[in-house]
Amino acid sequence: MTLTLSLADESATKALAARLAPHLRGGDVVTLRGDLGAGKTALARFLIRYLAGDEAEEVPSPTFTLVQTYEHLTPPLWHFDLYRLTDPGEVVELGWEEAREACALVEWPERLGPLLPRDRLDVQLTLDGPTARRVVITGHGAWEKRVAGI
Amino acid sequence: MKVLGIETSCDETAAAIVEDDGEGPGRVLSNVVLSQLDDHRPYGGVVPEIAARAHLQHLDRLVRQALDEAGLGLSDLDGIAATAGPGLIGGVMVGVMTAKAMAAVTGLPFMAVNHLEGHALTARLTHGVTFPFLLLLVSGGHCQLLAVEGVGRYRRLGTTIDDAVGEAFDKSAKIMGLGYPGGPLMEKAAAGAADPGRFDLPVPMKGRPDCDFSFSGLKTAVRRHVENLGGTLTDADRADLAASFHQAVGDSLIDRCTKALKYFKEAFPDGKTLVVAGGVAANQVLRARLMDLCRRHRFDFVAPPLGLCTDNGAMIAWAGLERLRLGLTDGLDFAPRPRWPLDPGAKAAPFAGVKA
């Protein structure tokens, strides 16, 4: 099942995060797809701040560090940016297996290769005008049914 | 005093030995960085060493080479330092375990160094800068303004709320089809601009009372210009857009640094130096603007040479040496810290004490 939304501006992205966040559980994998500048990290930031209940929660870009962990959240959350990886084996070294207890937000999930789980929520972002974005949310596996509740 | 430093917290594997005379600047006796070795340049550039095993594979020979180039044996050293965070835990573990093992065997003191402290104290190694000073740390992974009061004493005045400035260069260059690494390629493109004011780009955070940075929106604005041009850019487009990008980044850095200088001067009337560290300090356009800012504020401008601005072992050796001089050694039970802010209280009270 697929959900398609038009986000007029950043406040709409924030509202989407508030709509999505209460559905996240430990062990979930949410992929964030889209070109550079499409708003993947911005959506991740709003999700993490919603779960933290703190508008000032620091959510630095994970591009350089590859993963930022937020163990104090419920559920605990790992924010991956796999852009700089070249081999799925490197994902394992980042603690991909340990992260299975947490909710994983994954930018550039293409790099996961065979590690991409069957049960997952795909969020595809594209620029659509001066401030707007189009978002397509698709549930796979167990998420097929869960998408309906969002 | 002579200290060996090991850096494995990010993309680089590095080892170096530095020496001091008790005060003033120190000397780099050797400084070996894996990506700069000839036999490790298959692509003519930085090969990210993301995997811990890559650090493990090369560290032994780098340490040996650092000792050889300095003409020293382990018994000539006074201490061994390693980056213990922040960074990727796998890589950090490799460096810390190596340093601890060497310390255990030789009986030398071990110093667990914060990677950011390494960057922060480099200007003391190269220029003998005295405390306190204002530090702008601008690299691919960091973008911070810090008041450096002493070894282990930092006040974070500002940080990026999203992308680091080097990251903005890399990603914008990629969007513009310029390739990697973005900084030098953007600077080269901008030098050929016919109309640097052609593209309207936002100046992130300008006018805000804090000293924080934000560069994510700038990258998105670059993408929109590229899409408005139909997705394909001529060399002239790239040159103008790169120049407009430099202008926006420069305006933002100057605005943020001006705020930080104001807070810094109020808190530390004796301070008179702005230190710029990190790979972005190599950008001549931004460097010229920061030098001009210092002239206007009657501040000294100090930027360590590029090889000591990007990640290296000498900065870790030096931070370790400074800590050793103060008796700040660590036990062999020190656990690596993937997260390790220099100023843990920064978030709760961004300017606590600064205005007082």
Side-chain angles (χ1 to χ4, degrees):
Chain A
M1 161 148 191
T2 295
L3 192 66
T4 303
L5 300 166
S6 196
L7 307 175
D9 53 24
E10 200 169 57
S11 65
T13 305
K14 188 178 177 182
L16 172 64
R19 188 171 158 187
L20 206 53
H23 296 275
L24 299 180
R25 304 281 175 266
D28 283 349
V29 173
V30 178
T31 71
L32 301 170
R33 297 164 193 263
D35 290 332
L36 288 172
K40 301 181 293 297
T41 305
L43 177 60
R45 185 169 292 117
F46 284 127
L47 278 168
I48 291 163
R49 286 183 175 162
Y50 182 92
L51 291 172
D54 181 358
E55 297 267 333
E57 175 80 23
E58 282 188 26
V59 185
S61 162
T63 301
F64 196 66
T65 56
L66 307 168
V67 59
Q68 295 280 339
T69 58
Y70 300 87
E71 295 288 350
H72 58 290
L73 303 186
T74 311
L77 187 145
W78 288 36
H79 181 195
F80 290 89
D81 182 339
L82 308 181
Y83 183 68
R84 303 196 308 134
L85 295 193
T86 49
D87 177 354
E90 292 173 325
V91 182
V92 176
E93 284 209 37
L94 289 180
W96 181 251
E97 302 299 331
E98 292 94 287
R100 306 305 343 113
E101 304 285 309
C103 171
L105 300 182
V106 187
E107 302 188 37
W108 301 97
E110 298 83 351
R111 308 285 196 274
L112 281 172
L115 291 174
L116 184 71
R118 200 177 67 87
D119 295 335
R120 67 179 193 276
L121 188 68
D122 283 346
V123 179
Q124 173 82 45
L125 288 151
T126 39
L127 290 183
D128 188 18
T131 62
R133 281 162 174 89
R134 213 169 86 93
V135 57
V136 179
I137 301 173
T138 311
H140 297 274
W143 267 104
E144 274 186 50
K145 282 185 185 151
R146 290 173 68 187
V147 165
I150 294 173
Chain B
M1 223 175 236
K2 299 181 187 70
V3 171
L4 167 72
I6 292 171
E7 161 63 37
T8 53
S9 67
C10 224
D11 295 359
E12 286 287 10
T13 318
I17 296 167
V18 300
E19 180 181 32
D20 78 330
D21 298 317
E23 58 180 22
R27 279 179 300 281
V28 179
L29 302 182
S30 62
N31 188 23
V32 191
V33 179
L34 182 64
S35 69
Q36 288 167 13
L37 297 182
D38 286 342
D39 64 351
H40 202 75
R41 285 190 179 192
Y43 311 107
V46 173
V47 182
E49 297 294 356
I50 286 158
R53 64 172 179 279
H55 291 294
L56 192 58
Q57 193 185 338
H58 298 288
L59 188 54
D60 278 8
R61 72 161 169 140
L62 289 186
V63 168
R64 189 166 294 119
Q65 190 171 337
L67 285 164
D68 287 349
E69 286 185 13
L72 299 174
L74 282 176
S75 57
D76 299 312
L77 299 175
D78 296 285
I80 297 171
T83 303
L88 281 172
I89 189 69
V92 171
M93 293 268 285
V94 170
V96 167
M97 292 306 290
T98 303
K100 281 181 179 175
M102 292 174 72
V105 168
T106 57
L108 290 170
F110 164 68
M111 286 78 68
V113 171
N114 182 310
H115 177 86
L116 299 171
E117 179 157 56
H119 280 300
L121 299 179
T122 300
R124 288 170 55 76
L125 162 67
T126 57
H127 292 74
V129 172
T130 53
F131 298 122
F133 59 87
L134 180 62
L135 174 75
L136 172 65
L137 175 56
V138 275
S139 67
H142 302 286
C143 190
Q144 301 196 352
L145 275 159
L146 293 155
V148 183
E149 297 175 65
V151 175
R153 290 165 57 208
Y154 303 88
R155 288 189 207 174
R156 197 181 79 185
L157 304 181
T159 187
T160 181
I161 60 169
D162 42 56
D163 296 358
V165 62
E167 180 181 351
F169 268 95
D170 281 340
K171 289 183 173 175
S172 297
K174 170 92 179 167
I175 290 168
M176 290 163 62
L178 280 170
Y180 182 88
L185 293 168
M186 289 283 270
E187 189 173 358
K188 196 173 164 202
D195 183 3
R198 181 174 149 206
F199 295 100
D200 189 27
L201 291 171
V203 178
M205 313 296 270
K206 188 168 181 179
R208 293 222 334 194
D210 57 42
C211 303
D212 286 338
F213 300 91
S214 165
F215 291 104
S216 174
L218 190 54
K219 163 193 71 192
T220 304
V222 167
R223 170 165 290 283
R224 291 192 196 282
H225 280 301
V226 170
E227 290 187 354
N228 288 343
L229 290 166
T232 46
L233 274 62
T234 64
D235 284 350
D237 293 336
R238 282 199 192 92
D240 289 344
L241 189 50
S244 301
F245 179 83
H246 272 82
Q247 186 66 36
V249 170
D251 287 353
S252 183
L253 287 180
I254 295 300
D255 181 74
R256 310 285 74 208
C257 287
T258 303
K259 289 278 184 322
L261 277 167
K262 180 171 172 287
Y263 290 121
F264 181 77
K265 284 196 274 194
E266 282 174 18
F268 305 99
D270 297 337
K272 59 175 182 56
T273 310
L274 171 69
V275 172
V276 183
V280 180
N283 186 296
Q284 295 300 320
V285 177
L286 300 178
R287 203 176 167 115
R289 296 198 60 182
L290 290 164
M291 287 171 81
D292 179 58
L293 176 76
C294 284
R295 255 192 305 276
R296 283 187 276 123
H297 286 263
R298 298 177 196 284
F299 258 55
D300 293 330
F301 174 90
V302 173
L306 179 62
L308 295 176
C309 268
T310 51
D311 290 351
N312 65 86
M315 69 180 197
I316 302 306
W318 179 258
L321 187 150
E322 291 233 36
R323 298 187 73 80
L324 180 58
R325 283 201 299 215
L326 297 171
L328 300 170
T329 61
D330 295 285
L332 296 184
D333 56 349
F334 188 97
R337 300 177 183 171
R339 280 190 171 203
W340 190 0
L342 277 180
D343 178 2
K347 189 189 166 193
F351 300 114
V354 175
K355 288 177 185 168

